[in-house]
Amino acid sequence: MNSVIEDVNIRKISDSRGNPTLEVDILTTTGHGRVAAPSGASTGELEVASFPEEGVDHVITEFGNKIVSELIGLDASEGIYIDQILKEMDGTENLSSLGGNTIVAISLAAAKAASSSHGLPLYRFLGGNMVEEIPYPLGNMINGGAHAGKNAPDIQEFLVVPVGADNITDAIFANSKVHKRIGELIKVKDKSFTGGKGDEGGWAPNLSNYDALEIQAQACEDVSNELDFIIRPSLDLAPSGLWDNGKEVYVYGREGVERNTGEQIDFVKEIIETYKMFFVEDPLHEKDFAGFAELTRKIGRKCLICGDDIFVTNRNILEEGIRMGAANSIIIKPNQIGTLSDTYETVKLAKSNNYVPVVSHRSGETTDETIAHLAVAFSCPLIKTGALGGERIAKLNELIRIEEQMLCPSMARLNK
């Protein structure tokens, strides 16, 4: 077999915030796969553990040799079997022994090594010949909340999606134009603005939530008119960081306002209708399935109501959300659940129940481009991977290459 694993190497590298993470190389008889794991700042309570409490070095020193010995000789194409071995080796429900980041990096590196061994790019190896579409990119324009300083807006991410673009290149550069236009508008509104950015490359201004919304909307309109196709605003509220469990209210420090659940739903509904939002992620805190369901009923088809912290890429939790009608979209982050096979099971469940899957980066990213391939392989309509910054454009530029390969199949051999 040409995809038998011959060697595995695990190393510590830096993520985009300067924190340690793991990168894994897997060599087969005729192929190679490399994957680095990202880390989140705003994380769901029910995500698997990123790493054991002892950290990255502990994984390498205590488990490195065991991982290598378990994997050598296996067929990298047998991803489900490899994932099961890794979970059994960890032995905990939340993968806190090896760490979800360790396991997901190995799981994805094995898939990349297998695709390389078969002479295929990863998206084609996983998605087969039915893969035909490139996802629209959700670009992060303004950062607030956990991704920016204390004077930034309470809302964590002000996003845009170029829904009218005809191809991924136009879409990517449309997002870049909106980002630049927003920077110009911020300088007019905030005279003290020095060009600071948050974790994901969005501007981090001293603005209220409503000022940021107005600037976002204006920039979308300006660039839409310039390019002659529609760019729609979107949001990630990340309200678990705003939720005061004792008072049972959402605390908006910039506004000096507290909102109970009903008021939060009305607030989000007003924003969606006023600004014609295309996508709103995590409008309520991660345990409020009933609130998600109520907002989804009120909004209907006007907007994608997307769950991240509430679902954490977990098939079983998504099943509960589906039963209640909570949301109509789900964020897909492989390191929230730990393996490629478990990620795919969640995507399949979402699609079979008309939930739009959105493959997403994390705030602490690397230049790894794997999620671009996953978004295409899973036929996800959207990918959330920022707009600027080397660790973000690594994914975006890979989507350009993938689209080129689809239009000119002979180019695929360059990305084996």
Side-chain angles (χ1 to χ4, degrees):
M1 292 182 292
N2 64 358
S3 54
V4 171
I5 296 174
E6 293 190 337
D7 198 8
V8 181
N9 190 30
I10 304 171
R11 67 179 65 86
K12 179 169 73 172
I13 65 169
S14 175
D15 71 14
S16 59
R17 291 197 300 254
N19 295 326
T21 188
L22 282 180
E23 182 176 75
V24 175
D25 280 296
I26 291 182
L27 294 174
T28 67
T29 309
T30 59
H32 169 239
R34 171 178 292 167
V35 170
S39 298
S42 176
T43 56
E45 186 176 307
L46 296 178
E47 288 187 31
V48 299
S50 295
F51 291 109
E53 289 184 4
E54 298 87 349
V56 172
D57 290 328
H58 176 78
V59 174
I60 295 172
T61 57
E62 295 299 317
F63 296 101
N65 290 335
K66 183 179 180 181
I67 291 169
V68 173
S69 63
E70 289 282 349
L71 293 179
I72 287 179
L74 298 181
D75 187 341
S77 299
E78 296 180 357
I80 295 175
Y81 179 60
I82 290 172
D83 290 349
Q84 188 59 41
I85 286 176
L86 293 168
K87 289 192 286 186
E88 289 175 358
M89 194 185 311
D90 180 276
T92 66
E93 186 173 348
N94 70 339
L95 307 186
S96 58
S97 180
L98 289 176
N101 274 7
T102 306
I103 292 175
V104 81
I106 297 168
S107 177
L108 291 170
K112 290 181 84 170
S115 69
S116 174
S117 298
H118 286 81
L120 294 169
L122 181 63
Y123 73 88
R124 189 68 71 190
F125 177 74
L126 295 176
N129 291 326
M130 300 302 292
V131 173
E132 294 180 350
E133 297 182 358
I134 300 290
Y136 286 101
L138 273 163
N140 196 337
M141 301 291 126
I142 301 174
N143 286 179
H147 291 172
K150 64 179 181 179
N151 293 323
D154 299 302
I155 294 172
Q156 184 165 284
E157 296 176 11
F158 295 77
L159 308 157
V160 303
V161 54
V163 295
D166 289 332
N167 56 69
I168 189 63
T169 302
D170 287 351
I172 289 168
F173 283 99
N175 281 355
S176 296
K177 281 182 175 290
V178 175
H179 189 278
K180 292 173 184 177
R181 180 61 178 146
I182 284 177
E184 294 167 357
L185 293 171
I186 290 171
K187 290 175 184 176
V188 173
K189 186 70 177 180
D190 177 11
K191 302 299 184 184
S192 65
F193 184 61
T194 59
K197 295 178 182 178
D199 280 346
E200 296 182 1
W203 302 113
N206 183 0
L207 292 178
S208 70
N209 298 303
Y210 282 106
D211 283 341
L213 285 165
E214 290 291 334
I215 286 174
Q216 176 192 35
Q218 183 63 57
C220 284
E221 181 179 350
D222 291 349
V223 178
S224 292
N225 290 337
E226 177 187 345
L227 299 178
D228 198 29
F229 61 75
I230 298 298
I231 302 165
R232 294 273 298 277
S234 300
L235 292 177
D236 175 5
L237 280 86
S240 295
L242 305 173
W243 177 248
D244 186 315
N245 198 48
K247 293 183 177 181
E248 295 190 343
V249 295
Y250 296 91
V251 180
Y252 287 81
R254 279 300 309 242
E255 299 175 41
V257 171
E258 295 181 355
R259 295 183 172 95
N260 62 29
T261 297
E263 291 166 338
Q264 175 74 358
I265 290 172
D266 290 342
F267 171 64
V268 176
K269 181 174 181 289
E270 176 193 8
I271 289 175
I272 290 171
E273 293 174 345
T274 300
Y275 298 99
K276 297 181 174 58
M277 292 286 162
F278 183 80
F279 164 99
V280 172
E281 179 182 336
D282 282 358
L284 296 123
H285 73 79
E286 62 194 80
K287 296 181 180 179
D288 192 359
F289 281 84
F292 263 84
E294 182 180 348
L295 177 63
T296 305
R297 285 193 299 271
K298 287 186 173 183
I299 293 302
R301 296 179 179 273
K302 293 178 184 176
C303 179
L304 290 177
I305 304 300
C306 187
D308 177 15
D309 293 348
I310 193 172
F311 296 137
V312 294
T313 317
N314 186 304
R315 187 186 192 281
N316 296 331
I317 300 174
L318 177 60
E319 281 185 338
E320 180 181 351
I322 291 168
R323 285 195 298 269
M324 296 185 66
N328 53 28
S329 177
I330 177 175
I331 288 289
I332 300 297
K333 297 174 177 174
N335 75 330
Q336 286 183 326
I337 194 65
T339 68
L340 174 58
S341 57
D342 287 318
T343 300
Y344 182 52
E345 287 302 313
T346 303
V347 171
K348 285 197 299 182
L349 178 65
K351 295 178 75 170
S352 66
N353 287 275
N354 297 315
Y355 275 57
V356 173
V358 181
V359 169
S360 176
H361 63 173
R362 304 304 300 258
S363 55
E365 261 296 341
T366 73
T367 53
D368 186 280
E369 81 299 335
T370 306
I371 62 168
H373 286 259
L374 298 186
V376 175
F378 297 158
S379 297
C380 295
L382 296 169
I383 183 170
K384 185 182 179 192
T385 183
L388 298 177
E391 70 281 0
R392 316 294 160 180
I393 63 170
K395 287 76 165 168
L396 296 171
N397 287 338
E398 187 71 1
L399 288 170
I400 292 174
R401 299 180 192 108
I402 291 172
E403 186 170 74
E404 181 183 63
Q405 292 166 20
M406 289 181 173
L407 294 172
C408 182
S410 64
M411 294 298 293
R413 68 177 182 271
L414 298 177
N415 200 35
K416 288 180 181 180

